[in-house]
Amino acid sequence: MRAPAHRHVDPVFAALGDPTRRRVVEALSRGGTATASGLAAQLPISRQAVAKHLAALRGAELVSSKRVGRETHYRLRPQPLTEAAHWIQMVGAEWDDRLEALRRTLEKGRR
Amino acid sequence: MKLHDEDAVLTADRRRVERDVVVEADPDKVWEALTDEDRLEEWLAPDVELDPVEGGELSVRDDDGERHGTVETVEEGERLAFTWKRPEQGPSLVEFTIEAVPAGTRVVVVETSLVPGETFAPTASANWGAALPRLRRSLLLVFA
């Protein structure tokens, strides 16, 4: 089964991929800074799963982290998302134009 | 060519865009439009050079400049894939898939950024609808 058409999905969300990861980002966006435990308390996933998503998000430079005492505090960095969203939006628009031109050229002369 | 890391838990997917269109034309006509230089110049870009065989070269020029690349996959009548890049940008993989449908032919194009370290791609997730409106409001707050 094909993936659903992404044409009408806001590119910011298209950039986030995994739905659980989106929820982690959403929770982070609500609260300023958070710990893995604090995020896990807000979400129906384990602290371990949250930690894995935070590691991936940190690898993608979507979150920054800081040790405060024995805890690590995470904060959202929206810039990479914005850049990815921009790429997705631009490239998507280019392909919309080209596919429309393809359609016109193939359907030329019909009817 | 491997596009997605196996350990998806610890790495995000590549930037990826998918679009499709259904055209009222037979698949063989569509294939021709995808692989013949003169036809390609009617829709892909004003100036196209393409050797439509695996390993063949691609050269495209439009108002924004040039792209060069290589043909990766040719499955006659079904799939065409090539890489392309502008001199000042990273490479992408572009994959076309065509299939006959009752109304004619569906053409699907997927462009995937191949720049190492770039992230984020839509995965084949079933439940976009429910999560989106809530997330949209939250992220709009972040980006405002």
Side-chain angles (χ1 to χ4, degrees):
Chain A
M1 178 174 151
R2 274 187 62 233
H6 299 291
R7 188 186 310 263
H8 301 296
V9 172
D10 188 297
V12 170
F13 312 100
L16 282 170
D18 183 285
T20 308
R21 196 167 303 157
R22 287 201 296 273
R23 297 190 67 173
V24 171
V25 171
E26 180 190 27
L28 265 175
S29 74
R30 279 198 292 263
T33 69
T35 61
S37 309
L39 288 168
Q42 299 174 47
L43 300 166
I45 58 179
S46 67
R47 188 198 166 285
Q48 189 178 22
V50 169
K52 271 188 181 169
H53 285 295
L54 287 171
L57 290 167
R58 186 167 48 190
E61 298 187 346
L62 253 189
V63 301
S64 60
S65 64
K66 187 167 69 169
R67 297 258 335 155
V68 180
R70 290 186 316 170
E71 292 180 322
T72 302
H73 288 215
Y74 294 90
R75 180 188 296 278
L76 192 64
R77 296 181 68 246
Q79 190 191 4
L81 261 185
T82 311
E83 288 171 358
H86 179 65
W87 186 91
I88 287 168
Q89 199 160 36
M90 267 190 27
V91 174
E94 285 174 8
W95 283 112
D96 283 335
D97 289 345
R98 292 189 191 109
L99 291 182
E100 180 55 27
L102 174 65
R103 194 185 60 75
R104 279 198 312 266
T105 192
L106 283 166
E107 294 181 3
K108 210 163 33 181
R110 293 183 72 89
R111 292 200 213 98
Chain B
M1 169 178 275
K2 197 169 108 167
L3 294 180
H4 302 282
D5 293 332
E6 301 298 351
D7 53 336
V9 172
L10 290 182
T11 61
D13 294 331
R14 298 272 185 221
R15 295 178 183 184
R16 180 183 181 278
V17 168
E18 178 173 331
R19 291 289 190 270
D20 70 323
V21 67
V22 174
V23 300
E24 290 178 14
D26 293 334
D28 59 338
K29 288 283 182 286
V30 177
W31 182 254
E32 192 186 311
L34 254 48
T35 51
D36 177 89
E37 288 177 349
D38 293 335
R39 303 304 312 281
L40 283 161
E41 287 179 352
E42 292 174 22
W43 65 276
L44 182 69
D47 202 10
V48 178
E49 288 172 23
L50 172 70
D51 186 12
V53 296
E54 291 184 8
E57 290 187 5
L58 167 73
S59 202
V60 169
R61 188 199 308 266
D62 58 27
D63 288 345
D64 295 325
E66 293 184 8
R67 284 181 166 114
H68 297 276
T70 308
V71 176
E72 294 286 326
T73 306
V74 178
E75 288 168 25
E76 181 80 26
E78 291 181 10
R79 276 170 71 78
L80 171 70
F82 55 78
T83 59
W84 68 2
K85 76 182 285 298
R86 296 194 187 280
E88 69 280 8
Q89 291 173 2
S92 293
L93 177 71
V94 175
E95 300 169 280
F96 293 100
T97 310
I98 72 175
E99 60 170 335
V101 295
T105 304
R106 165 174 280 122
V107 181
V108 179
V109 61
V110 177
E111 180 161 355
T112 307
S113 172
L114 298 176
V115 176
E118 269 188 6
T119 55
F120 324 117
T123 56
S125 163
N127 290 317
W128 289 91
L132 289 179
R134 205 179 53 222
L135 183 54
R136 181 189 187 86
R137 283 194 294 278
S138 304
L139 282 180
L140 281 175
L141 285 174
V142 170
F143 296 133

